[in-house]
């Protein structure tokens, strides 16, 4: 399974756009890139998934360059409620999600 | 539409005891996975159940076992509890053969003393 590397923590202010980058140098051809969000004492929540180029939904965008060795989760105009841990996963299997330590995003007023 | 339901929410056990945690999957989901999350760490995969059988297992000892019932609900059993088993145990449900759309419950916080 591909290993991912992401910053341990990030700080931002309300209303700003936040970009969290994840490195996955050993990504395989049939791997997808998935991001989850987790609040304290809750389970992770699926945010977005992509394979290449750009994916956008109502909460985030995911940018994946052509070589797919990295990806960037973009959160537009964050609010205090976006304070959470964000996990980048690279998986080809439907049977197992492999989480790293994630990025603690703290949104400041 | 109910999401994933786990019970109990909190539990305190003594070393050496046994514990059973329960999970009801999201409506329409047929696959249940269990994860262990230690404080400050990401969730770690324990095993996955589909059609009442364990079909994939992570790096956990045999003290960890599970079961899936015909209604897709599932149990996680841990025998001979160790202090290191203290963690948040998460259940995730999904539809078979999809690598997205996992829905997690809020977990059971197990404390072993």
């Amino acid at each position: 399974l591909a290993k991912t590397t992401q910053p341990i923590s990030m700080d931002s202010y309300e209303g700003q756009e936040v970009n969290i980058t994840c490195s996955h140098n050993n990504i395989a051809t049939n791997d997808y890139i998935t991001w989850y969000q987790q609040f304290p004492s809750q389970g992770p929540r699926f945010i977005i998934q992509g394979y290449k180029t750009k994916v956008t939904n109502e909460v985030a965008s995911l940018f994946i360059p052509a070589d797919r060795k990295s990806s960037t989760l973009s959160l537009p105009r964050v609010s205090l409620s976006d304070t959470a841990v964000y996990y980048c996963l690279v998986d080809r299997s439907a049977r197992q999600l492999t989480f790293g330590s994630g990025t603690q995003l703290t949104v400041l007023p | 539409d109910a999401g994933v339901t786990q019970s109990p929410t909190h539990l305190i056990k003594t070393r050496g005891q046994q514990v059973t945690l329960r999970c009801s999957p999201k409506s329409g989901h047929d696959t249940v996975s269990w994860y262990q999350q230690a404080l400050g760490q990401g969730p770690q995969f324990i095993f996955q159940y589909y059609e009442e059988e364990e079909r994939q297992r992570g790096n956990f000892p045999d003290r960890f076992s599970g079961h899936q019932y015909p209604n897709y609900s599932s149990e996680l059993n841990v025998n001979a509890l160790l202090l290191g088993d203290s963690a948040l145990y998460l259940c995730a449900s999904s539809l078979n053969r999809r690598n997205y759309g996992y829905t997690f419950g809020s977990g059971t916080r197990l404390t072993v003393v």
Side-chain angles (χ1 to χ4, degrees):
Chain A
L1 296 173
K3 178 184 170 78
T4 60
T5 302
Q6 48 182 127
I8 295 173
S9 64
M10 295 181 67
D11 289 343
S12 181
Y13 290 95
E14 279 192 292
Q16 289 189 330
E17 178 185 72
V18 170
N19 296 308
I20 305 174
T21 297
C22 178
S23 297
H24 26 80
N25 292 318
N26 297 322
I27 190 169
T29 303
N30 52 349
D31 281 338
Y32 280 78
I33 300 157
T34 312
W35 286 79
Y36 281 81
Q37 174 194 55
Q38 186 177 27
F39 299 111
S41 297
Q42 292 188 27
R45 182 178 74 103
F46 172 87
I47 300 176
I48 197 167
Q49 184 183 64
Y51 183 80
K52 61 180 179 180
T53 62
K54 177 183 175 182
V55 179
T56 298
N57 62 23
E58 64 276 8
V59 298
S61 295
L62 179 59
F63 299 92
I64 305 168
D67 66 5
R68 303 201 328 123
K69 293 184 182 302
S70 67
S71 60
T72 299
L73 174 72
S74 181
L75 304 172
R77 298 179 297 282
V78 294
S79 65
L80 297 176
S81 63
D82 292 316
T83 294
V85 177
Y86 292 81
Y87 295 98
C88 165
L89 284 71
V90 175
D91 285 293
R92 71 185 71 99
S93 167
R95 300 184 180 183
Q96 177 176 342
L97 300 178
T98 302
F99 291 84
S101 297
T103 297
Q104 171 66 59
L105 171 65
T106 302
V107 180
L108 306 169
Chain B
D1 179 24
V4 176
T5 304
Q6 291 188 244
S7 62
T9 55
H10 296 83
L11 200 55
I12 299 176
K13 289 287 191 177
T14 303
R15 275 182 301 175
Q17 285 188 317
Q18 179 265 344
V19 69
T20 297
L21 310 181
R22 294 178 175 82
C23 172
S24 293
K26 180 179 178 180
S27 177
H29 285 181
D30 58 7
T31 303
V32 173
S33 305
W34 287 91
Y35 289 79
Q36 179 195 65
Q37 186 172 26
L39 204 59
Q41 303 296 318
Q44 299 299 305
F45 176 75
I46 302 175
F47 43 54
Q48 184 180 84
Y49 276 82
Y50 172 67
E51 291 188 336
E52 303 180 47
E53 291 190 358
E54 179 186 301
R55 68 173 179 180
Q56 182 138 345
R57 188 180 184 91
N59 189 25
F60 279 81
D62 292 344
R63 297 187 298 109
F64 290 77
S65 63
H67 188 80
Q68 185 179 35
Y69 294 93
N71 67 353
Y72 309 122
S73 67
S74 177
E75 291 180 351
L76 165 65
N77 301 292
V78 186
N79 294 321
L81 285 167
L82 305 173
L83 295 180
D85 295 331
S86 295
L88 181 67
Y89 288 86
L90 296 162
C91 170
S93 72
S94 59
L95 193 58
N96 186 37
R97 302 191 181 282
R98 296 285 184 90
N99 67 344
Y100 60 90
Y102 282 87
T103 301
F104 282 81
S106 295
T108 294
R109 172 71 63 188
L110 172 65
T111 303
V112 182
V113 297

